[in-house]
Amino acid sequence: MQIPNTLGKALAHIPQGYRFIEGWGMVSGSHSRTVRPETVEQLQAVMRACQAEGVLITLRGSGCSYGDASHTESLPDKPTLVLDLTGLNKILGFERYADSSDGKPAGYANVQGGVTFGQLWKHILPQGHWPRVVPGTMEPTLAGAASMNVHGKNNFMVGAIGSNIRELDLVQPNGELITLKPTDELFGAVIGGMGLLGCITRLEMRTQPVNSGNVAVRGISATSVGDMMESMSDHEDEAYYSVGWVDCFSRGKAQGRGLIHLARHLDPGEDSEPDKTCALSYQQLPGSILGFPKNEVWRPLRILNRDLGMRNLNRLKHWMGKREEKKGEYLQSHAGFNFLLDFVPNWKFAYGRKHGMGLLQYQPFLPDDTAQGVFEELLRLCQKRGFVSYLGVLKRHRPDDFLLTHALDGWSLAMDFKVTPKNRGRLLDLCNEMTEIVLVGEGRFYFAKDLVLGPGAMRQAFDERAVQKFLAHKQELDPDCLMQSDQYRRVLEPYNAPVDLPLTHY
Ligand SMILES: Cc1cc2nc3c(=O)[nH]c(=O)nc-3n(C[C@H](O)[C@H](O)[C@H](O)COP(=O)(O)OP(=O)(O)OC[C@H]3O[C@@H](n4cnc5c(N)ncnc54)[C@H](O)[C@@H]3O)c2cc1C
């Protein structure tokens, strides 16, 4: 449905357009009217006008969520608008404390919500700090990350991003701005709240002092997924970061074999030239890979990106992992270690750029006591169904109290599947089967990656009281339910329907 003309006054002087907006995995998307406010006042004017005219709003940061979290289809009975928040991208301040609230040295960055991880680390690293929590790419905005409560390779150590925010500003659906602190009940709903309660315009985030622009990394080869989990647990106290790459093609006793990367920050004095290593020039990711300009590397990757190529690549990686283990500790820049995926821009295009093709990531979170059994079962099932994940990533997590949190005392295994028009139906059936297994193991799911969860699985996987609390906050702040997304309509809107709800929905 068309946006009413009366909204025009609020939109005058604000950049806007009409374009195709898709999830990062390229599997879902819609044409949408977009507006990109550049000041908080512009944003408030748009929110007020949308409320007056009954226009549905979908918030969007950098669009790095794999599924349908930040896009919306057009609806027959309601006009819809996507608010692109990347224009609110100013770093407002950065302070360093020798002694913060928990007695440890820390920094706090005060930033607008559209600031990206890339902008943040480039601002603070030359001053000897690094963001406490970063995802595997530097592209997301900090508000988009807070709305999904993103985690890094150090989730077990410092929690997810929400646990490292000490204050945020929220523009509510009625246009009013409020400031929230972790002690406010609403804070616990906004973090991980999928952009459904209002728009985060400013955050104060904790940063980590570092003595070097490098981290010390160590590879440990693992013979199976069980071995990997045991080894990661054994090294939990000594590592600041810990992540496992899993070869999802491996079978039998070697099922889930792979390579663990542990990393630690350097001690004072270990780096004799910290100014040099913390300089941005030192952190640059290489401009070319094996002689290819890095922007073009996805093209040859496309040839490899099928079962045979990926089976061999995983095998090679396992073999190289054994050699890496022998090498012992080595140094790697913060950017190189944390943003490995950014080494190859647009690598996702290797999954296909034609309509109906793309990448679906399935990332279940399992409690410590069921995780190994469930992961083994999932890996076996995928092989049996002829869908092997080309990349498997294992992480250790810790719980938090945010209402819609995916975090728990346990593990997650992220699996990437290639989607084609031909395999799509079968792949979604497989996701359904996997979801049943995860639910038996009392697992949870992560909305930043999800595209297949149905409201039935949501009911089973998440704490009922927490979800009802979240919905009560939504009812209070957004009584006309204007803040929506395709993901909201898929997972949460039907949540209270008095019928049996599907485990998956597509
Ligand atoms: C290659 C790659 C690697 C990744 N690695 C990790 C990882 O290691 N760990 C991890 O946790 N995640 C990871 N992610 C997922 C990513 O960090 C999250 O999806 C993140 O939320 C994306 O932020 P964004 O700015 O792109 O927001 P979008 O994807 O555009 O939006 C995310 C959500 O935030 C809402 N939103 C956006 N802006 C605002 C705002 N200003 N106020 C309120 N709500 C808002 C949207 O409505 C949506 O619900 C990865 C993604 C990619 C593509």
Side-chain angles (χ1 to χ4, degrees):
M1 191 177 163
Q2 290 279 327
I3 299 226
N5 284 337
T6 38
L7 204 67
K9 218 167 131 195
L11 302 188
H13 314 301
I14 306 181
Q16 50 188 292
Y18 182 78
R19 62 190 168 95
F20 190 71
I21 298 207
E22 61 184 359
W24 193 85
M26 307 173 293
V27 181
S28 60
S30 283
H31 277 95
S32 296
R33 180 93 179 264
T34 60
V35 175
R36 187 174 183 266
E38 288 170 337
T39 63
V40 176
E41 292 71 29
Q42 286 183 349
L43 170 74
Q44 288 176 292
V46 176
M47 302 272 277
R48 273 191 217 107
C50 285
Q51 190 168 63
E53 299 291 345
V55 175
L56 301 191
I57 298 171
T58 300
L59 303 182
R60 185 168 173 94
S62 297
C64 288
S65 295
Y66 277 61
D68 51 358
S70 59
H71 61 66
T72 177
E73 60 178 347
S74 353
L75 301 174
D77 53 341
K78 290 259 185 200
T80 55
L81 185 67
V82 173
L83 278 188
D84 170 349
L85 295 154
T86 55
L88 293 171
N89 56 10
K90 291 190 189 59
I91 294 180
L92 306 168
F94 174 55
E95 286 178 70
R96 288 175 287 178
Y97 301 92
D99 193 5
S100 74
S101 52
D102 62 4
K104 294 187 182 152
Y108 280 91
N110 186 14
V111 299
Q112 286 192 317
V115 166
T116 62
F117 285 96
Q119 267 179 281
L120 178 63
W121 76 257
K122 286 174 191 168
H123 185 80
I124 63 175
L125 187 59
Q127 301 179 62
H129 278 244
W130 183 256
R132 285 265 281 189
V133 174
V134 296
T137 165
M138 64 176 101
E139 302 299 328
T141 63
L142 295 168
S147 294
M148 287 296 175
N149 196 21
V150 309
H151 55 264
K153 299 175 181 73
N154 54 355
N155 189 212
F156 64 99
M157 180 66 87
V158 302
I161 198 165
S163 308
N164 292 281
I165 296 175
R166 75 170 174 187
E167 189 173 287
L168 61 82
D169 286 350
L170 182 80
V171 173
Q172 302 174 101
N174 65 6
E176 269 176 42
L177 188 146
I178 48 171
T179 298
L180 297 174
K181 291 191 187 299
T183 44
D184 296 318
E185 202 186 300
L186 187 54
F187 185 91
V190 169
I191 301 297
M194 303 151 81
L196 299 173
L197 301 177
C199 181
I200 301 170
T201 52
R202 184 186 66 85
L203 312 98
E204 277 182 31
M205 310 225 345
R206 185 169 180 164
T207 63
Q208 177 69 35
V210 291
N211 301 307
S212 170
N214 285 320
V215 284
V217 187
R218 208 178 124 193
I220 300 178
S221 181
T223 54
S224 66
V225 71
D227 181 41
M228 185 176 290
M229 292 168 78
E230 200 180 320
S231 189
M232 281 168 80
S233 300
D234 287 349
H235 291 92
E236 226 164 83
D237 293 340
E238 71 196 66
Y240 185 82
Y241 299 106
S242 171
V243 63
W245 155 78
V246 176
D247 174 2
C248 299
F249 285 93
S250 53
R251 288 173 180 269
K253 280 193 184 148
Q255 185 171 56
R257 70 183 181 183
L259 177 64
I260 302 164
H261 278 123
L262 306 175
R264 63 171 181 89
H265 287 299
L266 269 58
D267 293 330
E270 247 188 296
D271 179 353
S272 55
E273 296 180 298
D275 289 346
K276 187 175 147 201
T277 56
C278 287
L280 299 188
S281 53
Y282 182 85
Q283 299 288 323
Q284 292 268 326
L285 302 177
S288 68
I289 298 166
L290 297 174
F292 284 97
K294 67 177 180 182
N295 283 332
E296 298 299 320
V297 169
W298 67 268
R299 291 181 196 278
L301 258 188
R302 197 172 42 175
I303 300 166
L304 267 182
N305 207 35
R306 53 203 69 208
D307 280 3
L308 184 65
M310 284 297 148
R311 180 189 297 277
N312 286 327
L313 201 66
N314 274 273
R315 203 174 273 160
L316 180 71
K317 200 166 158 151
H318 179 63
W319 179 74
M320 284 168 62
K322 287 186 173 177
R323 289 183 40 169
E324 188 177 327
E325 180 169 3
K326 289 196 190 122
K327 187 163 105 177
E329 213 173 52
Y330 59 94
L331 297 178
Q332 197 173 8
S333 71
H334 290 284
F337 178 76
N338 284 290
F339 305 126
L340 186 70
L341 295 171
D342 292 340
F343 267 91
V344 184
N346 296 328
W347 59 268
K348 64 176 180 175
F349 291 163
Y351 281 81
R353 297 192 67 184
K354 290 197 193 117
H355 183 66
M357 301 189 78
L359 160 60
L360 187 142
Q361 186 171 102
Y362 190 86
Q363 184 181 16
F365 285 65
L366 272 305
D368 195 28
D369 53 344
T370 62
Q372 184 183 335
V374 170
F375 293 154
E376 285 169 354
E377 203 175 338
L378 296 183
L379 290 169
R380 262 195 311 271
L381 179 70
C382 290
Q383 290 179 354
K384 197 165 153 196
R385 297 281 178 264
F387 282 101
V388 181
S389 162
Y390 291 172
L391 177 68
V393 177
L394 183 77
K395 284 190 198 138
R396 179 80 172 101
H397 300 277
R398 82 174 193 200
D400 58 39
D401 290 332
F402 301 108
L403 291 181
L404 297 187
T405 193
H406 55 280
L408 39 65
D409 180 8
W411 304 80
S412 71
L413 177 63
M415 294 176 279
D416 286 1
F417 297 101
K418 184 174 179 171
V419 183
T420 67
K422 218 169 133 194
N423 77 9
R424 196 180 170 116
R426 281 187 302 119
L427 178 57
L428 295 173
D429 288 343
L430 169 66
C431 291
N432 203 8
E433 284 187 83
M434 290 201 284
T435 298
E436 284 179 21
I437 296 169
V438 172
L439 289 174
V440 172
E442 303 195 339
R444 287 190 191 158
F445 301 90
Y446 181 28
F447 297 111
K449 305 292 179 71
D450 166 57
L451 185 62
V452 296
L453 208 65
M458 173 92 202
R459 262 194 199 162
Q460 290 188 39
F462 291 80
D463 176 32
E464 158 95 37
R465 275 185 37 211
V467 178
Q468 295 298 1
K469 261 193 194 170
F470 179 85
L471 292 173
H473 280 299
K474 178 146 181 75
Q475 174 64 28
E476 195 184 329
L477 289 178
D478 185 18
D480 299 327
C481 201
L482 294 180
M483 309 218 49
Q484 300 200 0
S485 64
D486 285 336
Q487 187 168 56
Y488 168 78
R489 288 188 289 271
R490 172 167 60 85
V491 184
L492 264 177
E493 193 181 48
Y495 184 83
N496 278 327
V499 287
D500 277 347
L501 295 168
L503 292 187
T504 39
H505 179 94
Y506 39 87

